[in-house]
Amino acid sequence: MMVLRAMRDDAHDFDALCQIAELSGPGFTSLTTDRDLLHNKIRRSEEAFTQTLDAPLDELYLFSLEDAETGAVGGCCGLESAVGMREPFYNYRVGTIVHASRELGVYRKTPTLYLSNDYTGCSELCTLFLNPDFRGGGNGTLLSKARFLFMAEHAHRFNDRVIAEMRGWSDDNGQSPFWDALGRKFFDMDYARADHLTAVSTKAFIAELMPRYPVYTTLLPEDAQRAIGRVHPNTEPALRMLKAEGFRYQGYVDIFDGGAAVDVLFEDIKAIKRSRVAELTVGTPTDQTRVLVSNRELAQFRCTLTMATIDEAGEQITVPPDIADALGVSTGDRLRYLTLS
């Protein structure tokens, strides 16, 4: 059984996160192989889980996907409560400039890239990575969707718009055509080096040295143009899941690799709208329904995937004893659940 839980500031979770950072490879800029920075992320997350808040500030919540029997960590994911509050948060907004001349019979629409801070203050889904050894068996669903149960339970900790930046496309050698065509023109470094610098510091230093004027995408090589709004093959399943939840591409891309950013109103996320709270009975489920089920804690948050029995009103749920033990709950407690098709 796999359980998603709040990441802990201990040697076990730290070593697991370091291994995940190594596995994620170039382009996964929300993680870095710098051990000090990873440790700081875990500390920041643990502080967020223990704070009493009336509104979102700039908290980071990290979660570990753990095998309940062996303790092995198979993945991680995260939530930022409000981006751009510690430092500027940049994207390129894809726009259009029209050049027209009636006398010459010319009418041409040219795509452009504008440097933007439009997503400042939004909450963000981030840092999702599943170890290839743990893929399958519903683990990807648990890792990605469990965050929505946490958000539904602690809605006051998040803002009314939620975004997700998708990892951009790169070739088999880890080279980004978007970076090579644009970013590299202003920095004397390759993609891997720039990727490392953005992970250990911030993307703000890139944005501050990039052109402030619109970039005409037609001046970029064709492979760079094709990379705009395109995601890495390993990211495509996550993008499909987000689109199914209501996230949409609105013409914003990453300034680093050109990967798509998607967004949605908090209240329109389907999993949040469909999640319910019910009273628990510990027993043997009949008429089983596949569900994500979580306790309603903050620092002790737990979520897992199981079969359960739910009454017609949706107010009573029965789960097996091992599931209740994994969540740290007992008969009479109230749980949050999400039915899965």
Side-chain angles (χ1 to χ4, degrees):
M1 180 204 319
M2 302 299 294
V3 177
L4 190 90
R5 58 166 175 79
M7 193 173 290
R8 297 186 294 257
D9 185 11
D10 60 22
H12 176 70
D13 275 11
F14 176 65
D15 289 342
L17 189 61
C18 289
Q19 182 183 26
I20 289 171
E22 291 283 354
L23 287 171
S24 63
F28 199 80
T29 53
S30 61
L31 287 179
T32 169
T33 55
D34 186 299
R35 294 175 68 88
D36 288 338
L37 288 174
L38 288 179
H39 196 198
N40 288 338
K41 280 181 176 286
I42 294 179
R43 283 182 177 175
R44 183 182 164 206
S45 173
E46 189 165 76
E47 290 176 1
F49 279 113
T50 56
Q51 285 180 324
T52 300
L53 298 172
D54 296 323
L57 297 175
D58 59 354
E59 295 77 36
L60 169 65
Y61 303 92
L62 291 177
F63 303 88
S64 294
L65 183 66
E66 181 180 70
D67 187 314
E69 295 181 3
T70 67
V73 173
C76 69
C77 62
L79 294 164
E80 288 270 8
S81 64
V83 299
M85 308 307 289
R86 290 178 172 235
E87 58 202 23
F89 187 83
Y90 292 97
N91 291 97
Y92 275 129
R93 176 169 54 85
V94 181
T96 303
I97 289 180
V98 175
H99 298 276
S101 171
R102 180 173 296 180
E103 291 77 7
L104 298 177
V106 173
Y107 182 88
R108 184 177 180 85
K109 296 193 295 183
T110 303
T112 55
L113 300 174
Y114 293 85
L115 204 57
S116 161
N117 301 115
D118 292 354
Y119 279 146
T120 296
C122 294
S123 296
E124 182 186 21
L125 304 179
C126 61
T127 322
L128 187 148
F129 186 81
L130 182 61
N131 186 321
D133 294 340
F134 286 80
R135 290 175 185 169
N139 290 340
T141 298
L142 172 58
L143 185 64
S144 57
K145 288 182 178 286
R147 291 178 293 185
F148 297 133
L149 271 66
F150 180 84
M151 295 171 75
E153 191 61 46
H154 306 286
H156 67 283
R157 290 176 174 261
F158 300 95
N159 276 309
D160 59 1
R161 182 168 293 276
V162 183
I163 68 170
E165 286 192 309
M166 302 286 98
R167 180 178 179 180
W169 190 86
S170 58
D171 64 22
D172 294 339
N173 297 317
Q175 294 299 307
S176 165
F178 185 82
W179 171 261
D180 289 341
L182 186 54
R184 188 165 186 165
K185 296 294 188 292
F186 300 89
F187 299 86
D188 188 19
M189 63 183 73
D190 61 18
Y191 178 71
R193 174 62 176 164
D195 170 63
H196 174 73
L197 288 177
T198 55
V200 300
S201 55
T202 111
K203 293 182 183 179
F205 84 94
I206 288 182
E208 288 163 358
L209 296 176
M210 294 291 277
R212 295 282 175 173
Y213 302 101
V215 175
Y216 285 60
T217 63
T218 50
L219 299 178
L220 303 178
E222 289 188 5
D223 60 346
Q225 294 182 48
R226 289 194 297 269
I228 297 172
R230 187 178 177 186
V231 303
H232 192 278
N234 292 344
T235 306
E236 289 175 356
L239 179 59
R240 287 194 295 270
M241 183 280 294
L242 290 175
K243 286 184 175 180
E245 291 294 339
F247 286 75
R248 293 292 179 264
Y249 173 62
Q250 306 284 5
Y252 290 89
V253 301
D254 186 78
I255 64 172
F256 180 64
D257 57 21
V262 293
D263 69 83
V264 66
L265 290 176
F266 183 101
E267 62 186 15
D268 290 337
I269 297 174
K270 293 180 181 179
I272 291 177
K273 291 195 296 183
R274 292 176 50 237
S275 72
R276 301 284 299 275
V277 173
E279 184 176 323
L280 170 66
T281 298
V282 179
T284 301
T286 58
D287 301 324
Q288 297 181 356
T289 301
R290 189 166 177 255
V291 297
L292 282 178
V293 61
S294 74
N295 63 26
R296 307 183 69 192
E297 302 295 326
L298 181 61
Q300 299 302 318
F301 177 79
R302 300 285 188 278
C303 182
T304 192
L305 182 65
T306 188
M307 304 300 292
T309 298
I310 302 169
D311 72 339
E312 290 186 6
E315 297 177 352
Q316 301 284 333
I317 184 169
T318 301
V319 303
D322 61 333
I323 297 297
D325 290 343
L327 299 179
V329 294
S330 57
T331 294
D333 289 340
R334 296 181 66 78
L335 303 182
R336 184 172 292 275
Y337 71 90
L338 172 69
T339 59
L340 301 173
S341 58

